[in-house]
Amino acid sequence: MNIVESIRVAMRGLAANKLRAVLTMLGIIIGVGAVITLLSVGQGVENLIREQLQGAGTNLLFVVPVNVNDSASGPPGMRSFEPSLTSGDLQAINDPFNVPLVIKAAPEVNTTANVVYQRNTLGLQVSGVTYDYQDVRNSRVAEGSFISDQDVAARSRVAVLGVRAMERLFGADEYPIGRTIKINNLPFEVIGIMEEKGGGAFGSEDDLIFVPLTTMQERLTPDLRNSRGEPLLSVIYTQVVAEEQMDEARQQIEEVLRQRHNIQFRGDDDFTVINQADLVAIFGQITGVITLFLGAIAAISLLVGGIGIMNIMLVSVTERTREIGIRKAVGARRRDILLQFLIEAMVLSLIGGLIGILLGWGGALLISSLQNDLTAVVTAQSVLLATGFSLAVGLFFGIYPATRAAGLHPIEALRYE
């Protein structure tokens, strides 16, 4: 009997017990649907993190005033925050003779402050920045203007609001530009509103209020200074000429800072230069592992579905013992019987897998619709993986029942009641 005839006989056998076949496929349907949904969501999360990291700016190095690799007082990154970066360090990094590969360096000082408008009082994050911040961090104003070099030089009391910070302070009906807000009881004039940027790996800029760096250092954080009285910085964002020169630029910045901080050994660094590309790779590895872990958990239901197929196929062999005996008596070979029951098991898995693909696709679209920033990505690899695995499950769990059917003696099968 050829393969086409085997498939026809197998389909006829499944059609004779439609409800049982559907219930048998249910485990495969749920398993394949879960695998595709979770893999698609995992891929979507990975893409979202990558976009957010890259949206922070182009070819960035983040200089932070703490050694995140120092485990002397705890796990990496868990030691107490000890500020070390100063405005002098910023000038040294911005000097093309010291670090020729850096295009621009933008400082930032962060603090939490009480922000008041009329009767509305909120605790918000305030960032002291310079004009270069918007270019380095790829941030733009939607209305009004950003902090200018003149504002920094004059220590002006002006503020630029993130979208959500503006909505929380003013609501939807009031135009904020030109209004006066109070930050820690100091009046600031609102001169601009930032474009909506959404949440990112470094927090959401939409919740921030930007003020001139010098105003922040002298008016809002006057005590944030080192032992020599120099104003301290929370972070320095540096934009490098080209992506392939990021490592070289990092080495140049590290050498300059070690000279300025009188550091002899790398392990004594009181700063860390973080490569944006390294962050993208690290987060990609983390989300990849999580995605595979979730996919593996979902695949367990495929194994449960496979056990269900084996159970039903064993029942089918018992029910059709006389049929098997008659077929062997009229000339069916062991291989024909084996092939028939294997095809039945694989057809169950394949049909269940196809329905599961549609279910998984729908699940991915549903999750995407519930989360504005997340777009689940159904890839060909996830579909092929789930389908191939479901076929493998059908083949694996169908072998024993098929072998048992093929091994029946025709005379004993004919006597079976």
Side-chain angles (χ1 to χ4, degrees):
M1 186 168 60
N2 57 33
I3 187 69
V4 176
E5 181 65 17
S6 297
I7 294 175
R8 188 183 66 82
V9 173
M11 293 298 294
R12 188 172 60 192
L14 293 175
N17 295 280
K18 296 183 180 65
L19 180 59
R20 187 170 69 183
V22 170
L23 293 176
T24 304
M25 289 187 294
L26 194 58
I28 299 296
I29 293 172
I30 295 174
V32 171
V35 168
I36 290 180
T37 300
L38 291 176
L39 290 180
S40 301
V41 171
Q43 184 65 48
V45 171
E46 185 175 346
N47 291 345
L48 177 62
I49 292 175
R50 184 182 295 108
E51 290 171 2
Q52 289 178 343
L53 286 170
Q54 293 173 344
T58 306
N59 300 336
L60 286 187
L61 293 174
F62 306 88
V63 187
V64 294
V66 63
N67 189 344
V68 299
N69 298 313
D70 189 355
S71 58
S73 57
M78 296 299 292
R79 58 180 297 191
S80 60
F81 186 80
E82 300 172 358
S84 61
L85 296 178
T86 65
S87 298
D89 296 329
L90 171 67
Q91 295 172 4
I93 293 173
N94 254 330
D95 190 337
F97 292 100
N98 293 329
V99 190
L101 294 179
V102 169
I103 302 174
K104 291 180 179 179
E108 184 176 11
V109 176
N110 298 314
T111 189
T112 301
N114 288 324
V115 183
V116 180
Y117 177 70
Q118 294 180 353
R119 296 182 179 179
N120 195 4
T121 302
L122 299 172
L124 296 174
Q125 289 288 323
V126 181
S127 291
V129 297
T130 62
Y131 176 78
D132 289 336
Y133 178 92
Q134 61 176 344
D135 293 328
V136 174
R137 288 296 308 272
N138 194 26
S139 300
R140 294 290 179 268
V141 290
E143 297 183 54
S145 59
F146 194 68
I147 306 297
S148 66
D149 290 333
Q150 291 76 17
D151 292 328
V152 175
R155 297 165 175 79
S156 302
R157 295 184 189 179
V158 294
V160 180
L161 308 182
V163 174
R164 277 203 293 270
M166 180 268 293
E167 292 174 349
R168 294 177 63 189
L169 273 174
F170 292 90
D173 301 328
E174 192 164 0
Y175 188 68
I177 295 181
R179 304 288 184 181
T180 298
I181 62 175
K182 287 187 177 182
I183 304 177
N184 284 354
N185 294 322
L186 295 175
F188 283 77
E189 179 187 355
V190 178
I191 61 171
I193 302 170
M194 301 297 293
E195 290 182 350
E196 186 173 1
K197 202 169 183 180
F202 306 99
S204 176
E205 290 187 4
D206 297 340
D207 294 315
L208 295 179
I209 295 178
F210 298 97
V211 299
L213 176 67
T214 49
T215 307
M216 167 72 85
Q217 291 174 328
E218 294 191 6
R219 299 287 187 176
L220 299 178
T221 57
D223 297 330
L224 189 59
R225 298 175 182 270
N226 62 15
S227 57
R228 297 186 298 275
E230 299 173 302
L232 294 169
L233 304 175
S234 300
V235 62
I236 299 175
Y237 305 103
T238 60
Q239 189 175 33
V240 181
V241 174
E243 183 178 355
E244 58 271 14
Q245 294 178 303
M246 297 278 279
D247 289 336
E248 185 178 354
R250 175 167 57 183
Q251 293 174 4
Q252 292 176 355
I253 293 172
E254 290 174 345
E255 290 176 4
V256 168
L257 292 180
R258 288 191 187 110
Q259 290 176 2
R260 287 187 50 81
H261 296 186
N262 296 319
I263 295 173
Q264 302 296 324
F265 303 101
R266 178 173 301 181
D268 296 332
D269 287 347
D270 55 2
F271 62 89
T272 303
V273 182
I274 303 172
N275 191 332
Q276 182 187 29
D278 292 342
L279 289 178
V280 173
I282 291 170
F283 277 107
Q285 290 175 358
I286 294 173
T287 54
V289 170
I290 293 175
T291 300
L292 289 177
F293 178 70
L294 293 175
I297 292 176
I300 294 175
S301 58
L302 280 174
L303 296 177
V304 175
I307 294 172
I309 288 177
M310 182 171 66
N311 183 42
I312 292 301
M313 293 305 298
L314 287 172
V315 172
S316 179
V317 169
T318 303
E319 290 179 346
R320 296 158 65 184
T321 300
R322 286 182 62 84
E323 175 193 333
I324 295 170
I326 293 172
R327 292 191 61 197
K328 283 196 169 186
V330 297
R333 294 168 296 180
R334 176 187 174 90
R335 184 182 65 184
D336 296 329
I337 304 298
L338 179 67
L339 187 61
Q340 175 189 345
F341 282 90
L342 272 181
I343 289 176
E344 285 189 22
M346 293 184 68
V347 165
L348 283 172
S349 293
L350 180 60
I351 296 176
L354 294 176
I355 298 174
I357 290 172
L358 297 178
L359 180 65
W361 202 307
L365 293 177
L366 177 62
I367 292 176
S368 296
S369 66
L370 297 176
Q371 176 56 254
N372 294 331
D373 296 330
L374 177 63
T375 301
V377 180
V378 180
T379 62
Q381 291 87 342
S382 63
V383 172
L384 292 175
L385 175 64
T387 306
F389 195 67
S390 65
L391 282 174
V393 165
L395 177 62
F396 178 78
F397 287 100
I399 287 177
Y400 176 69
T403 303
R404 182 174 176 179
L408 289 175
H409 194 279
I411 296 177
E412 294 179 357
L414 288 171
R415 291 175 177 174
Y416 183 81
E417 293 294 338

